[in-house]
Amino acid sequence: MLYIDGEWRGARSGRSFEVTNPATGEPIGDVADGTREDAAAAISAAAEAFAAWSQLTAFERSDTLHRAYTLMMERREALARLMTEEQGKPLRAARNEVQYAADFFLWYAEEAKRVYGDVLPAPRPDQRFMVLHQPVGVVGAITPWNYPVSMITRKVAPALAAGCTIVLKPAEQTPLCAMEVFNVIHDAGIPAGVANLIPTADPAPIGEELVSNPHVAKITFTGSTEVGTMLAGRAAANMKRLSLELGGHAPFIVFSDADPVYAAKGASLVKFLNTGQACISPNRMYVHRSIAAEFLTALETRVGGMRAGNGLEDGISIGPLVDAPSLEKVDRQVKDAVAKGAQLRTGGSRLTSNGLDRGFFYSPTVLSGVTPEMEIYSNETFGPVAPVIEFEDEQEVLSLANDTHYGLAAYVYTEDLRLAMRMFEGLDYGIIGINDINPTAAAAPFGGMKHSGIGREGGREGIAEYLETKLGGFSI
Ligand code: ADP
C-alpha cells in the first residue's frame, strides 16, 4: 500500500506487484505499484503539511520521534522476521538492524532540540548579526534494499526532527519492511502529510517526479553510484539540495605487527555481514607478506565453517543474495579472477543442495593472489567474496588503497599508534575502522568521499543536511 496524507491507499493505476523471499523464491506479499501521479499527490500533501509541522516546537516533534522509537523497539521481533523473509539476512542480524534503525529515532528525538543558531560579531557598531537554521522543506528520499529498515529511519528521523516533511520511495525488493516502518510512524501520531511512502516496481518515473517537482527542496538517495550520479545531475538542474550515499570499495589493510588470527576473525565478520551486500563491505584485503599465510589459513577456516541458508533457521550466518543478477555478478567476478590466476581457497560456486537452489545462494569464498587485472580488484562485488592481496610496504599499500574513485569505508589492523594515525589521516575515505570492524552508530557521521557520495547521515551532521542557514542583519 501507499501511505499518502496520513492514509493507506492503493495505487491510482490499481496495479500491484509481488514481493518474493530471496531464500525460497516464494511470494510473500503483494504491494500497490505507485505511479508518478501518486508521487505528485504525496509531494502536494507533504508541501501542505510543511507549514504546520515546521512550526511545531522542537519539543513536540521530539515527542513524536520518541514514540516512534518506543514502538519500533516493541515491534522489533516482528520487524526482524519480516526483514529476514523479505531481504534474507539471518534473524540475529535483522534484530541488530532494527535496533540500529530505532536508534536514529532516539538520537534525532534529542538532536531536534539542539538546532542552535549563532549571534556573530558585526562590522558596524549599529549592526547585529544573527544566524538561524530552518528546515529546507519537502524532502524526496530513495532508499535501497540491503538495509531495508535502517536506511529509511536514517533519512526520515533527521528530516522530521529538522521540521521537514518527506516523500520516500523504497527499493522494489523490500517494500514490506518500508510499510512497517511507516506503520510505526503513523502509530506514533505523525500528522497527515508529514511522511509519505510510495512503493513501486518501476522507480524511474517516481525518481523523475522527485527531482523535478518544484515543491521538493532536497533529494536524499542511498544506492548505486550509477543511479545516484544520474539523479544528482537531474536534481542539480532543478537546484535541489542533495545528499548521496553511494557505492564503496573498502580496503582492509593488515600490517605486519597485527595479530593475523585476530585480523582474520574481523575480516570474516565484516566481509560476510549481510552476505557482503553492504556499501562498507571490505572489497580488497591487503595483507602484509610476512603474515599472509597465517592470515589466509585462519580466514579460510572461519569462512569454510560458515553455514548458508534460510536466515530464520538457527546457526545460519550467510543468507541469500538478493536476486539472480546479483548472483551472476558474483559468480562472474570469481570466474574472471580464477581465470586470471587467483587461487580459490574456499567456496567459489553457487549453492544448490538441500533446497538452496530455490534461492540465490553463493558459497562464502576466499581468493588469494588477486591482481589489478581482475574485475574484482576494482569493481564493487556486493557478495560473499574476500579477495586477498599481499603487500610489502606502507606507502605502497596506502597508494593502492586510495587508487579508486570510491571513498566510503576503510579498515586498518595494526598495534602501532603512529602508523594507525598516519593511516587515519592518509586514507581518502569517510569512515576508517582502526582494529574496528563496526565504526557505525546513530551518533556517528556516516558517508563517503569522492564518488561514494555527498553529505553525511547520522550524528549531528545528519540533521544539518535538512537545514538551511539564514543570516539576519539588524541595524539598531
Ligand atoms: P542496487 O543496484 O543496489 O539495487 P540501485 O541504485 O539500483 O542499487 O537502487 C537503489 C535505489 O534506487 C532503489 O530504491 C531503486 O529503486 C532506486 N532506483 C533505481 N533506478 C532508479 C531510477 N532510474 N530513478 C530513481 N530511482 C532509482
Side-chain angles (χ1 to χ4, degrees):
M1 300 276 266
L2 317 179
Y3 183 67
I4 301 175
D5 207 9
E7 284 177 0
W8 289 102
R9 310 182 183 169
R12 293 218 172 168
S13 63
R15 283 200 304 269
S16 60
F17 66 104
E18 195 175 84
V19 183
T20 53
N21 180 333
T24 63
E26 282 161 12
I28 53 168
D30 217 34
V31 174
D33 189 1
T35 62
R36 185 164 181 171
E37 292 68 40
D38 293 310
I43 294 168
S44 297
E48 207 151 300
F50 178 71
W53 180 250
S54 58
Q55 282 163 27
L56 289 181
T57 67
F59 298 94
E60 289 167 312
R61 288 197 299 269
S62 171
D63 281 346
T64 307
L65 292 170
H66 269 296
R67 284 196 295 276
Y69 170 76
T70 305
L71 282 172
M72 186 170 269
M73 290 307 288
E74 281 169 17
R75 299 176 191 178
R76 182 178 179 189
E77 191 60 22
L79 248 169
R81 286 189 165 266
L82 176 66
M83 197 193 307
T84 297
E85 284 175 2
E86 190 178 36
Q87 189 268 332
K89 72 184 53 161
L91 194 51
R92 208 150 52 102
R95 288 187 189 116
N96 289 344
E97 183 182 336
V98 178
Q99 174 74 61
Y100 179 53
D103 285 347
F104 286 104
F105 282 132
L106 185 59
W107 174 259
Y108 286 109
E110 298 303 320
E111 286 300 282
K113 296 176 280 185
R114 314 212 198 297
V115 177
Y116 301 144
D118 278 311
V119 177
L120 309 179
R124 295 196 318 266
D126 68 296
Q127 196 176 35
R128 303 291 180 270
F129 274 166
M130 187 190 282
V131 175
L132 286 186
H133 297 290
Q134 293 182 315
V136 293
V138 177
V139 174
I142 297 179
T143 53
W145 49 265
N146 60 342
Y147 287 87
V149 173
S150 58
M151 293 302 99
I152 293 179
T153 59
R154 197 158 80 172
K155 298 185 187 307
V156 171
L160 299 186
C164 295
T165 57
I166 192 163
V167 176
L168 187 136
K169 189 209 80 59
E172 48 277 29
Q173 295 90 340
T174 53
L176 298 174
C177 280
M179 285 165 55
E180 285 313 311
V181 175
F182 274 70
N183 261 328
V184 164
I185 295 170
H186 176 81
D187 294 344
I190 198 90
V194 171
N196 306 271
L197 179 72
I198 311 290
T200 181
D202 183 14
I206 313 288
E208 183 52 29
E209 184 64 26
L210 293 175
V211 293
S212 61
N213 188 306
H215 286 304
V216 175
K218 181 193 168 88
I219 297 294
T220 172
F221 172 85
T222 300
S224 61
T225 295
E226 192 187 4
V227 174
T229 307
M230 182 279 290
L231 288 173
R234 296 288 303 129
N238 295 304
M239 202 47 82
K240 314 271 188 224
R241 275 81 189 117
L242 197 63
S243 301
L244 301 167
E245 296 288 352
L246 307 176
H249 194 51
F252 185 103
I253 308 171
V254 186
F255 283 99
S256 58
D257 66 323
D259 174 348
V261 176
Y262 180 65
K265 178 180 174 192
S268 69
L269 290 173
V270 62
K271 173 68 238 186
F272 296 93
L273 195 69
N274 211 18
T275 316
Q277 302 170 114
C279 45
I280 59 169
S281 190
N283 236 37
R284 296 165 290 153
M285 298 193 174
Y286 294 104
V287 183
H288 193 269
R289 200 174 295 283
S290 63
I291 55 164
E294 272 179 277
F295 176 88
L296 271 166
T297 305
L299 185 63
E300 236 174 89
T301 310
R302 281 191 161 268
V303 174
M306 288 179 169
R307 260 188 67 212
N310 187 329
L312 289 178
E313 292 166 18
D314 281 341
I316 295 298
S317 48
I318 295 275
L321 288 158
V322 71
D323 54 21
S326 305
L327 189 67
E328 281 152 26
K329 181 179 175 191
V330 170
D331 197 43
R332 190 185 69 233
Q333 286 197 357
V334 171
K335 288 205 170 100
D336 168 77
V338 171
K340 291 175 180 159
Q343 290 94 53
L344 188 61
R345 314 291 292 226
T346 183
S349 59
R350 184 177 178 183
L351 293 170
T352 51
S353 57
N354 301 324
L356 294 188
D357 57 327
R358 290 183 294 137
F360 307 111
F361 290 93
Y362 199 85
S363 54
T365 300
V366 176
L367 293 170
S368 62
V370 169
T371 58
E373 299 72 50
M374 302 170 188
E375 194 192 332
I376 200 164
Y377 186 89
S378 41
N379 287 344
E380 194 178 22
T381 305
F382 242 59
V385 185
V388 178
I389 302 141
E390 294 181 18
F391 75 91
E392 290 281 4
D393 78 57
E394 182 186 329
Q395 277 318 309
E396 171 202 4
V397 78
L398 183 60
S399 60
L400 288 172
N402 283 338
D403 184 20
T404 168
H405 66 279
Y406 289 116
L408 188 55
Y411 305 86
V412 175
Y413 273 68
T414 178
E415 296 296 311
D416 178 341
L417 180 60
R418 292 191 181 93
L419 174 57
M421 189 54 77
R422 287 197 297 275
M423 288 295 127
F424 181 41
E425 292 179 355
L427 285 163
D428 298 332
Y429 289 82
I431 302 163
I432 317 275
I434 305 280
N435 302 316
D436 184 8
I437 52 166
N438 190 18
T440 56
F446 183 107
M449 299 181 178
K450 301 199 266 184
H451 288 222
S452 286
I454 296 175
R456 294 293 180 270
E457 292 189 314
R460 64 167 181 258
E461 291 84 350
I463 195 166
E465 302 277 334
Y466 297 94
L467 295 166
E468 278 287 13
T469 296
K470 185 183 278 180
L471 172 70
F474 297 77
S475 179
I476 55 169

